[in-house]
Amino acid sequence: MSAADPILDAAIASLEESGFRRDVASVALILGSGFGAIEERCEASAHIAYEEVPGFARPAGTPGHVCRLSQGRLFSRNVLVFRGRYHAYEGFASRELVFPVRVARALGASVLVATNAAGGIRDDLLEGSLMAITDHINLMGINPLVGRQRLTHATAFAPMAGAYDPSLLDKLEAAAARAGESVTRGVYAAVLGPSFETEAEVRMLRGLGADAVGMSTVPEVICARALGMKVVAFSLITNRAGSREDSHAHNLSRGSNTEGRIARVLEELIQSLP
Ligand code: HPA
């Protein structure tokens, strides 16, 4: 356990001034690329742009990424909703990537629900598939727990085995089934990006045991686990990894076409969380 962090304290103080309340929402939801509009379904009692919160980096402004934190009722639960995330490929330091997770924890969230877009590697993970993340392979070359000064309340040598909570994974599958979606389990490899993978890299990732590849989520999951949060995460497969027509715009549009599907799964999942 390490000393208090004045920047985290300043963030919480400023959020409380903006109407956020501690210990009201036990669930924090991170909406990945293309799913941001789900945040608009939240009956927010408080919301704030990331850049107005002390300690939050100024978002890089990738097209399609509105970055805002809300607290309120979403799918009949009190939730903290992070619309947009920081990516390492935008040049953010690993501590900046995970500051939102630390804030969620400090506000009292004990469960992190993370969503992302990913490229399918396993043969059955075609465009439009949903993959429940059972495990990850961190190939980003960064780790948010690195640093001479530890993250407040974080375990430095946090175990990552079992990072994706088995009982929440079951709940995610059941939620998807109720939403009329099939979700298959798989391993998510995180790379730095922002370029997509070569064909040789996709073969390598497959050989390493990855079922899908993306450029996010793993830093947040590492931080959440080090802070003792439970994690459940899933990917929307927006393209086959290594396909020659990959583009960010393409991925975003796939994301928004399928936003309704993701929202239904999240609704069922969030309602079933403890
Ligand atoms: N590779 C890496 N990240 C991604 C991809 C991909 O093919 N698709 C969506 N995010």
Side-chain angles (χ1 to χ4, degrees):
M1 202 71 76
S2 47
D5 179 342
I7 302 188
L8 185 60
D9 293 345
I12 300 303
S14 139
L15 287 167
E16 285 182 324
E17 258 172 49
S18 303
F20 286 79
R21 289 163 55 216
R22 283 182 206 240
D23 299 327
V24 173
S26 60
V27 176
L29 169 65
I30 299 179
L31 293 168
S33 308
F35 314 142
I38 292 171
E39 177 249 15
E40 286 156 22
R41 302 175 190 223
C42 178
E43 290 163 41
S45 51
H47 55 82
I48 192 165
Y50 285 0
E51 60 264 38
E52 287 169 28
V53 185
F56 274 60
R58 174 171 289 276
T62 308
H65 293 170
V66 174
C67 291
R68 182 164 59 196
L69 169 58
S70 303
Q71 182 172 48
R73 302 288 289 175
L74 179 66
F75 307 135
S76 320
R77 288 291 299 266
N78 288 319
V79 176
L80 284 166
V81 187
F82 293 87
R83 176 176 190 170
R85 57 154 60 89
Y86 300 103
H87 294 93
Y89 66 72
E90 293 166 316
F92 293 108
S94 60
R95 286 186 170 230
E96 294 174 308
L97 305 180
V98 300
F99 195 71
V101 176
R102 298 177 64 206
V103 164
R105 185 63 174 139
L107 285 174
S110 54
V111 175
L112 178 69
V113 179
T115 60
N116 62 39
I121 295 174
R122 206 175 63 208
D123 292 346
D124 62 310
L125 288 169
L126 303 174
E127 239 174 70
S129 311
L130 295 180
M131 186 185 87
I133 301 179
T134 56
D135 206 343
H136 72 229
I137 302 175
N138 181 10
L139 298 171
M140 296 180 84
I142 56 168
N143 188 305
L145 307 181
V146 167
R148 275 197 275 181
Q149 213 187 332
R150 290 187 188 176
L151 298 185
T152 315
H153 305 307
T155 313
F157 300 103
M160 286 298 135
Y164 299 84
D165 189 85
S167 81
L168 296 186
L169 207 51
D170 291 344
K171 285 191 189 301
L172 171 59
E173 282 178 332
R178 286 195 301 277
E181 293 287 338
S182 62
V183 63
T184 53
R185 296 184 175 209
V187 173
Y188 176 88
V191 295
L192 178 60
S195 53
F196 285 104
E197 296 68 39
T198 63
E199 284 129 317
E201 286 166 341
V202 173
R203 283 195 297 277
M204 173 194 75
L205 291 166
R206 190 193 281 266
L208 291 177
D211 298 308
V213 56
M215 304 170 189
S216 69
T217 307
V218 163
E220 291 109 310
V221 169
I222 292 173
C223 179
R225 292 300 300 145
L227 294 173
M229 297 174 79
K230 289 186 173 178
V231 172
V232 59
F234 64 94
S235 300
L236 170 71
I237 305 301
T238 50
N239 57 281
R240 291 289 299 162
S243 108
R244 293 185 183 206
E245 51 178 59
D246 287 348
S247 85
H248 189 64
H250 174 80
N251 288 338
L252 283 182
S253 73
R254 294 290 156 148
S256 56
N257 291 343
T258 46
E259 185 216 300
R261 292 174 56 204
I262 305 294
R264 281 191 291 282
V265 174
L266 284 174
E267 175 168 15
E268 295 291 343
L269 173 65
I270 286 173
Q271 285 175 352
S272 72
L273 290 176

